[in-house]
């Protein structure tokens, strides 16, 4: 679909919405929905309600409402493995991004590598960070899809709730979602008068944060809400090189800081019970001052060929073991201590979202919904992946990745029936278009590159995803419901690569002035497989709900396009997931206790992963095989007087089947990739020169039988609170503990060069509530455990999780 079709489709969708707005507004003046009609806008969980929220009596658990499947339902009677965390719980636990959900959501992992956040649920999601690949965990901000690994870590502020859906969502989620989905819902305007909140935080590392919201009802039919967030915090990392290298001016900050400004404007127009229009406009800015990755210090035993040890490609330590990173000796080897010596580091990110959500309620209770969206994401990234001074280390690359803007357009139309009868249904269509240009400049910093050496490139990626979906619930009896859903997918991806070479001396101010662009590979991929779900739900009483289903999920394939301009890489086949699940949700002890238990078995086909591809002499995404995944998930929420508990745990087991032999790129000599060497033919002698060949056999491994990357066997968390009454006020101590087993960031799991070890994090807080006031003292990672939270660059760099943090948090509701 060309750009004219994109504009035409979006114009048609907006035109339909506007026409519906005018006609429904006029019709609504003298028409009222019947008493049994569905709500005009499916409600999200109230801002003061969470998984462990108490009812008004303080002795029972409240119902937790989720909109995971397009209509508001009680989480305890929703036939899916879903975790809901309210905005209040997010604030109490100092959980501020999608990455922090790992602290309480089992089977949910985020590989954090600076600009990129790769989410995996049950070991499925995204193992290939590139704009040409669509993530397998769909992240939505107020219903708008974030289709890449950038732009998903917008801080939580004025949030109603977050919902994590586990397993393939092949029917109602409007995106590839082989692993699951994350729904982030902000608070809507309301008609309860002027209300809102303001809160502030001060903490160590010079952390200062202020956020809040004010709700302004203009009249009985129109209300507005303004929410904002501003936070500045120093980095956990210190760049010692910036002050030790003569002649280099100190950067204004260390990589990994927080510098964020966010604002959201929301407008609700509800002229009648039959129609409402919700418009949200959001603007986000962030600059962490560059990516704070450190060279991986892991080592491996020297490779042998014919009984003879081959040279270590990246040098060796005192014990004779080979470094896995080419830059290991340039790093400090100390957690949170960098040695970049580069004053040009930055990582500016901007996000803008425009969201128009409309609901029309017909006289028979059927709801027509239109969700129209436009988003623009921009980034300017300047990094030094040599991890050292570019004035003192010869020919180390300065890396600059610029995405001037990503444009996303979307439209989602759905028909939602009321649920009072024997048959209920949801049907609709969705359309999404994105354009992602990525420019990459890799330049030697103190020398003109060798003639013909490729130092820059550009990849333009665009994607169109379209779908028709329908889901039917049929009550066979008053307690037994049959559930069936089907989705038709139509996906088209277009990739174009450019080869770029320098034509003069390096110029960091305007690098494009020194680059000559020539066309590279241009490829288009199309696919349209069906997905869906069939299940059976049994609710013998209000306190017990059982479900069983089979679901099939799908993630599109693509063609690889590289800036190297070599022979086209192989087609990237789609991923498919077949998922069988069985679960029970129960309300026990007069609803003082809620428990969920579920088991699953999944067949994960044609996993997409980035590994070394010999013909291209580069690491690119391709299919590495299939795997089986099974496990158990458990949660228990309790409320007994002032005592509250929230326990979550998951056991995950996976095994990769037959995998084609893979090359360990971190073990290869540097000249192999520099000169793009190919496998030597029979009788051809290896030569470390341009145009030469290389014997890859000693570096090739059989990886069959390994576990899926990002698949810790055990994840668990426990949160304990006890509320003490002090007259009309309350004092609540909280203790939280989370455990995550070791996990791998790669298929190469024998030498532990790409492993993230087990982590055990202890948090605590003491909260005092006095009417509208709340004062909290908190501490996170109290044992100050050093742990890896991300592995990037094909294993060449590592990222540490947050050390011990503590502070004071105050809030005033009005």
């Amino acid at each position: 679909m060309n750009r004219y079709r994109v504009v035409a489709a979006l114009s048609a969708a907006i035109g339909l919405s506007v026409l519906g707005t005018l006609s429904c507004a006029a019709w609504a003046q003298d028409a009222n929905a019947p008493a049994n009609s569905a709500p005009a806008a499916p409600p999200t969980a109230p801002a003061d309600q969470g998984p462990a929220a108490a009812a008004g009596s303080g002795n029972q658990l409240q119902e937790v409402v989720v909109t995971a499947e397009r209509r508001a339902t009680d989480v305890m009677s929703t036939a899916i493995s879903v975790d809901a965390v309210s905005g209040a719980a997010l604030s109490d636990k100092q959980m501020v991004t999608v990455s922090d959900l790992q602290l309480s959501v089992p089977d949910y992992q985020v590989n954090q590598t600076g600009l990129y956040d790769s989410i995996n649920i049950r070991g499925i999601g995204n193992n290939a960070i590139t704009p040409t690949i669509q993530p397998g965990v769909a992240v939505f901000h107020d219903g708008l899809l974030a289709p890449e690994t950038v732009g998903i870590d917008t801080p939580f502020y004025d949030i109603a709730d977050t919902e994590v859906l586990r397993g393939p969502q092949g029917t109602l989620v409007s995106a590839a979602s082989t692993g699951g989905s994350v729904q982030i819902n902000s608070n809507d305007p309301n008609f309860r008068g002027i209300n809102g909140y303001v809160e502030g935080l001060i903490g160590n590392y010079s952390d200062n944060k202020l956020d809040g919201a004010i709700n302004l009802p203009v009249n009985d039919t129109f209300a507005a809400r303004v929410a904002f967030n501003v936070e500045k915090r120093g980095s956990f990392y210190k760049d010692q090189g910036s002050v030790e290298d003569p002649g280099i001016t100190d950067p204004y900050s260390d990589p990994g800081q927080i510098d964020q400004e966010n604002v959201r404007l929301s407008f609700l127009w509800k002229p009648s019970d039959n129609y409402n229009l919700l418009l949200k406009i959001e603007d986000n800015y962030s600059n962490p001052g560059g990516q704070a990755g450190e060279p991986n210090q892991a080592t491996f035993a020297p490779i042998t060929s014919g009984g003879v040890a081959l040279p270590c490609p990246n040098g060796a330590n005192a014990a004779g073991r080979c470094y896995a990173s080419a830059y290991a000796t340039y790093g400090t080897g100390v957690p949170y201590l960098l040695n970049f010596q580069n004053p040009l580091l930055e990582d500016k990110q901007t996000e803008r979202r425009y969201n128009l959500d409309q609901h029309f309620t017909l006289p028979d209770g059927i709801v027509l919904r239109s969700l129209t969206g436009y988003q623009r994401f921009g980034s300017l990234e300047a990094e030094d992946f040599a991890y050292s001074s570019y004035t003192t280390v010869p020919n180390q690359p300065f890396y600059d990745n610029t995405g001037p803007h990503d444009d996303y357009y979307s439209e989602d139309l759905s028909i939602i029936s009321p649920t009072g009868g024997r048959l209920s249904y949801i049907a609709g269509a969705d359309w999404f278009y994105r354009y992602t240009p990525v420019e990459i400049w890799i330049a030697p910093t103190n020398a003109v590159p060798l003639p013909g050496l490729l130092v820059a490139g550009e990849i333009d990626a665009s994607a169109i995803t379209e779908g028709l979906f329908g889901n039917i619930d049929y009550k066979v009896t008053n307690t037994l419901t049959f559930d069936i859903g089907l989705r038709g997918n139509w996906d088209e991806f277009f990739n174009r690569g450019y080869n770029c070479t320098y034509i003069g001396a390096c110029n960091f101010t305007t690098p494009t002035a020194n680059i000559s662009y020539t066309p590279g590979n241009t490829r288009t991929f199309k696919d349209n497989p069906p997905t869906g779900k069939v299940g059976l739900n049994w609710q013998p009483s209000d306190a017990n709900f059982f479900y069983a289903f089979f679901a099939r999920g799908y993630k599109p394939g693509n063609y690889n396009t590289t800036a190297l301009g070599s022979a086209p890489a192989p087609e990237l086949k789609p991923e498919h997931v077949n998922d069988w699940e069985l679960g029970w949700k129960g309300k026990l002890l007069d609803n003082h206790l809620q428990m969920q238990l579920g088991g699953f078995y999944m067949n994960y086909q044609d996993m997409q992963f980035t590994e070394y591809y010999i013909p291209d002499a580069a690491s690119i995404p391709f299919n590495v095989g299939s795997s089986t995944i099974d496990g158990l998930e458990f949660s228990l929420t309790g409320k007994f007087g002032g005592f509250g508990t929230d326990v979550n745990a998951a056991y995950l087991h996976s095994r990769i089947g037959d995998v084609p032999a893979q090359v360990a790129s971190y073990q290869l000599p540097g000249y192999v990739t520099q000169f793009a060497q190919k496998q030597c033919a029979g009788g051809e002698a290896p030569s470390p020169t341009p145009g030469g060949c290389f014997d890859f056999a000693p570096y090739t491994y059989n990886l069959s039988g390994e576990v899926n990357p990002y698949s810790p066997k055990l994840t668990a968390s426990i949160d304990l609170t006890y509320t003490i009454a002090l007259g009309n006020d309350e004092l609540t101590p909280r203790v939280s503990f989370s455990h995550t087993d070791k996990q791998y960031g790669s298929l190469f799991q024998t030498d532990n060069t790409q492993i993230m070890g087990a982590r055990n994090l202890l948090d605590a807080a003491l909260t005092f509530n006095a009417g509208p006031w709340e004062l909290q003292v908190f501490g996170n990672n109290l044992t100050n455990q050093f742990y890896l939270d991300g592995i990037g660059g094909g294993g060449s760099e590592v990222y540490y999780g947050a050390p011990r943090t503590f502070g004071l948090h105050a809030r005033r509701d009005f």
Side-chain angles (χ1 to χ4, degrees):
M1 181 182 291
N2 59 32
R3 186 166 301 184
Y4 295 104
R5 291 176 61 191
V6 171
V7 174
L10 186 62
S11 300
I14 294 176
L16 176 62
S17 299
V18 172
L19 179 61
T21 299
L22 298 176
S23 60
C24 190
W27 166 74
Q29 300 302 316
D30 56 2
N32 292 308
N36 63 347
S37 66
T44 56
D48 58 351
Q49 175 181 309
S57 64
N59 292 320
Q60 289 181 318
L61 294 170
Q62 269 189 344
E63 176 184 276
V64 176
V65 178
V66 295
T67 55
E69 295 187 317
R70 291 182 180 258
R71 68 161 51 95
T73 59
D74 180 0
V75 70
M76 297 301 292
S77 59
T78 301
I80 188 176
S81 180
V82 55
D83 266 286
V85 184
S86 71
L90 294 172
S91 179
D92 285 345
K93 298 180 181 181
Q94 304 302 319
M95 299 166 64
V96 295
T97 68
V98 292
S99 299
D100 294 332
L101 294 175
Q102 298 176 94
L103 298 176
S104 64
V105 178
D107 273 348
Y108 174 91
Q109 302 301 317
V110 182
N111 185 42
Q112 300 182 74
T113 56
L115 179 63
Y116 311 98
D117 291 289
S118 178
I119 301 177
N120 291 269
I121 299 177
R122 297 175 178 173
I124 301 178
N126 188 46
N127 298 313
I129 298 177
T130 168
T132 63
I133 305 301
Q134 188 164 330
V137 173
V139 178
F140 294 87
H141 295 269
D142 286 317
L144 299 187
L145 173 67
E148 302 180 68
T149 56
V150 294
I152 65 174
D153 59 347
T154 303
F156 296 151
Y157 66 102
D158 196 31
I159 295 297
D161 77 336
T162 63
E163 301 170 17
V164 177
L165 289 58
R166 287 184 286 259
Q169 308 298 311
T171 304
L172 299 176
V173 173
S174 57
S177 51
T178 46
S181 177
V182 181
Q183 316 272 354
I184 303 167
N185 305 307
S186 66
N187 283 312
D188 296 339
N190 59 71
F191 296 101
R192 299 192 299 268
I194 297 177
N195 58 82
Y197 74 96
V198 61
E199 62 182 356
L201 179 150
I202 57 174
N204 59 336
Y205 296 97
S206 302
D207 195 0
N208 293 276
K209 179 181 179 181
L210 181 67
D211 70 286
I214 182 170
N215 188 83
L216 301 170
V218 178
N219 52 41
D220 292 339
T221 63
F222 185 78
R225 189 177 185 92
V226 181
F228 71 94
N229 175 74
V230 178
E231 183 175 11
K232 294 185 182 297
R233 192 208 66 203
S235 175
F236 303 138
Y237 291 80
K238 175 63 179 177
D239 184 6
Q240 67 173 10
S242 64
V243 297
E244 293 183 349
D245 186 31
I248 299 297
T249 57
D250 296 349
Y252 76 95
S253 63
D254 293 311
Q257 65 172 354
I258 288 181
D259 182 7
Q260 293 176 334
E261 299 173 2
N262 315 92
V263 64
R264 182 187 305 116
L265 306 178
S266 304
F267 305 96
L268 175 62
W269 182 45
K270 190 176 177 63
S272 74
D273 292 337
N274 305 308
Y275 172 74
N276 71 269
L277 178 151
L278 178 63
L279 174 65
K280 294 189 177 183
I281 303 172
E282 186 171 343
D283 192 88
N284 303 294
Y285 167 84
S286 173
N287 184 6
Q291 296 190 39
E294 298 189 52
N296 191 349
Q297 300 294 314
T299 60
F300 60 91
I303 307 301
T304 60
S305 179
V308 178
L310 300 176
C312 291
N314 306 315
N317 63 9
R321 290 181 60 83
C322 302
Y323 283 115
S325 170
Y327 307 112
T329 55
Y330 301 147
T332 65
V334 178
Y336 310 113
L337 186 60
L338 306 174
N339 190 30
F340 284 155
Q341 305 182 47
N342 187 342
L344 303 177
L345 296 178
E346 64 179 342
D347 190 2
K348 294 180 180 178
Q349 303 172 45
T350 58
E351 297 172 85
R352 292 177 181 172
R353 299 189 183 101
Y354 303 85
N355 180 332
L356 179 63
D357 191 357
Q358 300 177 85
H359 290 77
F360 311 82
T361 303
L362 303 181
D364 56 2
I366 294 175
V367 175
L368 307 180
R369 184 188 184 191
S370 168
L371 178 61
T372 306
Y374 169 70
Q375 304 174 77
R376 167 165 284 197
F377 176 83
S379 68
L380 175 60
E381 177 188 0
E383 310 294 348
D384 181 3
F385 286 164
Y387 307 99
S388 187
S389 168
Y390 71 81
T391 62
T392 60
V393 181
N395 294 315
Q396 295 306 317
F398 171 84
Y399 176 91
D400 192 344
N401 177 352
T402 303
H405 58 80
D406 294 0
D407 288 325
Y408 310 145
Y409 304 85
S410 61
E411 175 63 33
D412 187 295
L413 301 171
S414 57
I415 304 173
I416 305 172
S417 75
T419 57
R422 185 172 293 273
L423 178 70
S424 60
Y425 60 87
I426 299 175
D430 52 58
W431 170 87
F432 184 92
Y433 169 84
R434 72 175 172 93
Y435 172 65
T436 306
V438 178
E439 299 173 0
I440 302 173
W441 305 322
I442 305 176
T445 57
N446 62 347
V448 177
L450 297 174
L453 180 63
L454 237 346
V455 294
E458 180 175 340
I459 297 175
D460 289 347
S462 61
I464 302 170
T465 62
E466 300 169 320
L468 293 174
F469 57 87
N471 192 89
I472 294 175
D473 291 323
Y474 179 75
K475 290 186 177 181
V476 181
T477 69
N478 289 334
T479 62
L480 194 65
T481 302
F482 177 69
D483 177 20
I484 184 170
L486 184 65
R487 180 182 181 86
N489 304 279
W490 290 268
D491 297 311
E492 181 177 350
F493 292 82
F494 174 80
N495 304 323
R496 177 175 53 211
Y498 294 91
N499 310 322
C500 315
T501 55
Y502 271 81
I503 56 177
C506 298
N507 182 333
F508 293 106
T509 304
T510 56
T512 53
N514 305 96
I515 298 178
S516 173
Y517 287 82
T518 56
N521 302 319
T522 300
R523 313 188 78 175
T524 301
F525 181 92
K526 296 182 180 181
D527 206 356
N528 58 344
T531 55
K533 175 184 176 181
V534 58
L536 198 62
N537 309 324
W538 181 44
Q539 190 167 13
S541 68
D542 290 339
N544 290 281
F545 179 80
F546 299 87
Y547 64 90
F549 66 79
F550 165 78
R552 181 168 174 83
Y554 148 83
K555 174 180 170 180
N558 209 329
Y559 283 107
N560 283 293
T561 301
T562 68
L564 291 175
S566 51
E571 174 184 322
L572 187 68
K573 294 187 292 184
E575 291 183 351
H576 292 89
V577 177
N578 296 319
D579 176 30
W580 292 263
E581 296 200 29
L582 181 67
W584 164 71
K585 301 184 179 186
K587 301 177 181 179
L588 310 175
L589 302 179
D590 194 25
N591 204 27
H592 287 281
L593 201 65
Q594 294 182 356
M595 186 181 300
Q596 301 184 49
L597 178 63
F600 58 89
Y601 174 85
M602 297 192 293
N603 182 265
Y604 181 22
Q605 303 168 355
D606 294 316
M607 180 198 306
Q608 300 170 0
F609 203 87
T610 299
E611 289 295 352
Y612 193 79
Y613 181 65
I614 295 176
D616 237 5
S619 292
I620 62 171
F622 59 95
N623 302 96
V624 295
S626 301
S627 65
T628 56
I629 306 170
D630 57 85
L632 295 171
E633 293 162 346
F634 167 81
S635 71
L636 182 150
T637 302
K639 181 69 175 176
F640 299 91
F643 177 73
T645 181
D646 191 8
V647 180
N648 298 277
Y651 171 80
L652 185 66
H653 171 264
S654 65
R655 184 184 183 279
I656 298 176
D658 293 332
V659 178
Q662 301 293 318
V663 174
S665 58
Y666 60 89
Q667 298 178 355
L668 296 174
Y671 65 83
V672 176
T673 55
Q674 180 179 0
F675 299 133
Q677 293 189 314
K678 303 298 189 292
Q679 173 67 45
C680 292
E684 187 178 5
S687 174
T689 59
C693 68
F694 185 75
D695 180 14
F696 289 92
Y699 305 89
T700 304
Y701 298 86
N702 182 356
L703 303 177
S704 301
E706 303 284 12
V707 302
N708 274 19
Y710 309 110
S711 300
K713 184 171 291 186
L714 177 66
T715 52
S717 67
I718 181 169
D719 184 79
L720 303 174
T721 60
Y722 187 77
T723 301
I724 304 169
L726 301 174
N728 294 326
D729 304 328
E730 293 179 340
L731 183 67
T732 305
R734 174 192 296 274
V735 177
S736 302
F737 174 80
S738 66
H739 167 80
T740 302
D741 271 358
K742 69 177 182 182
Q743 56 184 305
Y744 295 92
S746 170
L747 298 174
F748 294 95
Q749 301 169 8
T750 56
D751 55 25
N752 291 343
T753 58
Q754 299 189 49
I755 186 174
M756 291 185 282
R759 59 179 181 256
N760 298 286
L761 303 179
L762 178 65
D763 304 336
L766 183 64
T767 305
F768 176 69
N769 291 98
W773 289 94
E774 177 181 285
L775 186 65
Q776 181 187 72
V777 179
F778 68 89
N780 298 325
N781 190 8
L782 292 177
T783 61
N784 202 30
Q785 180 180 2
F786 292 157
Y787 64 97
L788 294 185
D789 210 23
I791 296 180
S796 65
E797 61 191 16
V798 295
Y799 294 79
Y800 286 92
R804 180 190 297 119
T805 57
F806 53 85
L808 179 66
H809 170 246
R811 175 179 173 125
R812 174 65 159 85
D813 291 298
F814 59 88

